[in-house]
Amino acid sequence: MSTTMLSTRNALARGLLRGSNNGLQSKKLLLQLVAARCYSNGEKTLKQRFAEIFPEKAEEIKKLKKEHGKTVIGEVLLEQAYGGMRGIKGLVWEGSVLDPEEGIRFRGRTIPDIQKELPKAADGDEPLPEAIFWLLLTGEVPTESQVKALSADLASRSELPQHVEQLLDSLPKNLHPMAQFSIAVTALESESKFAKAYAQGVSKKDYWNYTFEDSLDLLGKLPVIASKIYRNVFKDGKVAAIDGNADYGKNLAHLLGFQNKEFVDLMRLYLTIHSDHEGGNVSAHTTHLVGSALSSPYLSLAAGLNGLAGPLHGRANQEVLEWLFKLREEVKGDYSKETIEKYLWDTLNSGRVVPGYGHAVLRKTDPRYTAQREFALKHFPDYELFKLVSTIYDVAPKVLTKHGKTKNPWPNVDSHSGVLLQYYGLTEASFYTVLFGVSRAFGVLPQLIIDRAVGQPIERPKSFSTEKYIELVNSIKSKGGVQ
């Protein structure tokens, strides 16, 4: 038996004898014992592997900057500065790259690749989100035993401080679940190991260590926070206990109150494919930006969640479902292509957009949409709402192409996720973005760890006023620059 496992077992025995705070401390020690047991098989832990990998990565970045730091990697157009900086190459994001035609690649792997290669639970067919976290942080596919150990480690970190529980219980039910989510994550700053270490003058070379610990602590607590919000707002307020032997997706499903095995597998798929989508989206960029100021992972993720809550980002899945319900009500069961086409034109001609279609980068059907569609085809091909979404998929791209004002007429991830959740009984659309937030943490936290490991500086791009841009453009033109 390892020293860690032995000491944890002895602490558990002492805690049980004392009755440790009505059993709460004993529960925590028991979860730690499960985690220690999983790590006792001799394989490297995630932290050990990252510690081995990042010095070489840091040296690679240092060499790249030294040898090619003056290389021009792109040009910036004035319309990009006024158009949300779209397409400007200016961020470093290691975990994923988004190709307009091919879609997302996680460390070089497509969604079908990760569905095939990443470890799965014994009772499931979908990849485990713990595995995508490992992949995004290290670039390596973990073994089944490494993922199981990471699952147990995250479960052992799940207990919420009493003040956070009390805070969540005190929030009004009409406060949007995403606002509650952000508030709770911010309140967890009291637990930040990074903030405490920084206050004590820790060396820069150790920043990543405390960022790693905060990130895993935070990931471990997110299912409890999300479930508590869901149960408080929509149910009886009671949340089940974490199972130290269960994987992340199963624990999240059970805490929410769902036991269906298909729904558990859906949670695994959902958390995995929503985790990361390059670094330029609002939630990823905001988390990275705030983290660059050496704010803790708690404060950084909370900032990212506030961005995710916007209707042009993560909240879009809620808006898609609300639009679908209005469509269903108005067509009164007539899901013919002709009826759907007329409704789409009515939507566009009234000055509104078709929610769930279009993307800032993609120029084809979002592979995340496809993965969810395949899940639906496998488990509930005859579900009414799925049939409606399928008909829209057949009709909308042609309508949007003819309309001519949409660069990408294809569906994105938001146009399908709500349908799956509705089928299994999670019908409260205002909660959907919280699930997105839990998932997005799996993508943004690895980058925070990497940022601190390789010594990324504070982010500080240059801004000009409109008057200064006019002056700049006129100066370029007067010198014969390209218009």
Side-chain angles (χ1 to χ4, degrees), residues 325-350:
F325 287 156
K326 290 179 182 177
L327 187 160
R328 183 173 63 179
E329 181 181 345
E330 292 195 24
V331 302
K332 295 179 170 48
D334 180 4
Y335 296 164
S336 65
K337 292 183 179 181
E338 294 75 17
T339 300
I340 300 301
E341 182 174 348
K342 181 181 182 304
Y343 188 88
L344 292 174
W345 277 115
D346 288 344
T347 298
L348 294 169
N349 290 334
S350 68

Side-chain angles (χ1 to χ4, degrees), residues 374-451:
E374 290 173 351
F375 187 95
L377 284 169
K378 177 180 178 181
H379 295 292
F380 47 85
D382 297 323
Y383 178 43
E384 177 203 16
L385 207 54
F386 173 63
K387 286 185 175 181
L388 176 57
V389 169
S390 295
T391 304
I392 297 171
Y393 183 37
D394 289 337
V395 176
K398 299 173 186 176
V399 170
L400 290 168
T401 299
K402 189 174 181 179
H403 186 246
K405 294 184 179 180
T406 304
K407 291 183 179 180
N408 173 30
W410 302 103
N412 57 50
V413 66
D414 297 311
S415 64
H416 213 304
S417 56
V419 173
L420 278 69
L421 298 169
Q422 286 282 318
Y423 177 78
Y424 290 108
L426 206 167
T427 58
E428 299 83 4
S430 64
F431 181 74
Y432 291 174
T433 316
V434 175
L435 290 178
F436 199 159
V438 175
S439 175
R440 185 47 52 94
F442 279 87
V444 299
L445 293 176
Q447 187 63 45
L448 280 184
I449 298 168
I450 294 169
D451 288 346

Side-chain angles (χ1 to χ4, degrees), residues 236-258:
D236 58 5
K238 297 178 181 178
V239 180
I242 283 278
D243 180 355
N245 292 304
D247 61 85
Y248 199 94
K250 178 180 282 189
N251 264 322
L252 176 59
H254 289 179
L255 290 175
L256 290 170
F258 295 86

Side-chain angles (χ1 to χ4, degrees), residues 7 15 20 27 50 64 191-192 249 287 309 313 323 330 377 384 398 411 425 432:
S7 62
S20 298
K27 174 186 171 186
F50 183 73
L64 180 67
E191 310 306 298
S192 175
T287 304
H313 191 19
W323 179 80
E330 292 195 24
L377 284 169
E384 177 203 16
K398 299 173 186 176
Y432 291 174

Side-chain angles (χ1 to χ4, degrees), residues 116-410:
K116 179 180 178 181
E117 296 177 26
L118 294 187
K120 303 171 178 62
D123 61 348
D125 298 319
E126 301 297 342
L128 295 170
E130 299 92 315
I132 197 72
F133 185 83
W134 190 297
L135 175 67
L136 293 174
L137 184 58
T138 67
E140 301 173 346
V141 174
T143 65
E144 288 185 12
S145 59
Q146 284 175 323
V147 172
K148 187 175 182 180
L150 182 55
S151 297
D153 190 5
L154 293 173
S156 73
R157 301 168 184 254
S158 62
E159 187 177 355
L160 297 184
Q162 187 176 19
H163 75 88
V164 175
E165 288 194 15
Q166 292 173 342
L167 175 62
L168 285 170
D169 289 338
S170 72
L171 296 174
K173 290 187 177 182
N174 62 353
L175 180 63
H176 195 282
M178 275 302 285
Q180 297 192 37
F181 197 27
S182 173
I183 288 169
V185 172
T186 300
L188 283 172
E189 174 71 1
S190 62
E191 310 306 298
S192 175
K193 294 170 182 173
F194 178 86
K196 291 181 176 66
Y198 185 84
Q200 294 170 2
V202 67
S203 170
K204 288 183 178 180
K205 66 182 178 62
D206 291 325
Y207 283 175
W208 77 267
N209 184 12
Y210 296 97
T211 302
F212 180 96
E213 290 300 322
D214 272 4
S215 295
L216 263 65
D217 285 345
L218 181 48
L219 275 179
K221 290 170 173 49
L222 290 182
V224 182
I225 294 173
S227 300
K228 191 160 185 60
I229 293 169
Y230 179 73
R231 302 297 300 183
N232 279 354
V233 175
F234 304 109
K235 304 297 179 182
D236 58 5
K238 297 178 181 178
V239 180
I242 283 278
D243 180 355
N245 292 304
D247 61 85
Y248 199 94
K250 178 180 282 189
N251 264 322
L252 176 59
H254 289 179
L255 290 175
L256 290 170
F258 295 86
Q259 302 293 325
N260 183 289
K261 288 185 177 180
E262 289 179 11
F263 182 83
V264 169
D265 228 21
L266 173 61
M267 284 295 95
R268 294 164 179 151
L269 175 66
Y270 184 102
L271 293 173
T272 298
I273 66 174
H274 284 79
S275 61
D276 201 27
H277 214 233
E278 209 178 57
N281 66 75
V282 171
S283 56
H285 186 192
T286 303
T287 304
H288 163 78
L289 171 63
V290 175
S292 78
L294 297 186
S295 298
S296 76
Y298 296 101
L299 298 181
S300 301
L301 180 64
L305 292 175
N306 288 335
L308 189 70
L312 294 184
H313 191 19
R315 188 170 171 171
N317 54 16
Q318 175 184 336
E319 297 208 334
V320 167
L321 200 64
E322 292 168 352
W323 179 80
L324 281 175
F325 287 156
K326 290 179 182 177
L327 187 160
R328 183 173 63 179
E329 181 181 345
E330 292 195 24
V331 302
K332 295 179 170 48
D334 180 4
Y335 296 164
S336 65
K337 292 183 179 181
E338 294 75 17
T339 300
I340 300 301
E341 182 174 348
K342 181 181 182 304
Y343 188 88
L344 292 174
W345 277 115
D346 288 344
T347 298
L348 294 169
N349 290 334
S350 68
R352 295 172 291 163
V353 299
V354 177
Y357 279 75
H359 192 275
V361 179
L362 284 171
R363 295 296 175 262
K364 62 174 287 185
T365 299
D366 191 331
R368 299 172 298 173
Y369 173 96
T370 303
Q372 293 179 105
R373 175 174 170 78
E374 290 173 351
F375 187 95
L377 284 169
K378 177 180 178 181
H379 295 292
F380 47 85
D382 297 323
Y383 178 43
E384 177 203 16
L385 207 54
F386 173 63
K387 286 185 175 181
L388 176 57
V389 169
S390 295
T391 304
I392 297 171
Y393 183 37
D394 289 337
V395 176
K398 299 173 186 176
V399 170
L400 290 168
T401 299
K402 189 174 181 179
H403 186 246
K405 294 184 179 180
T406 304
K407 291 183 179 180
N408 173 30
W410 302 103

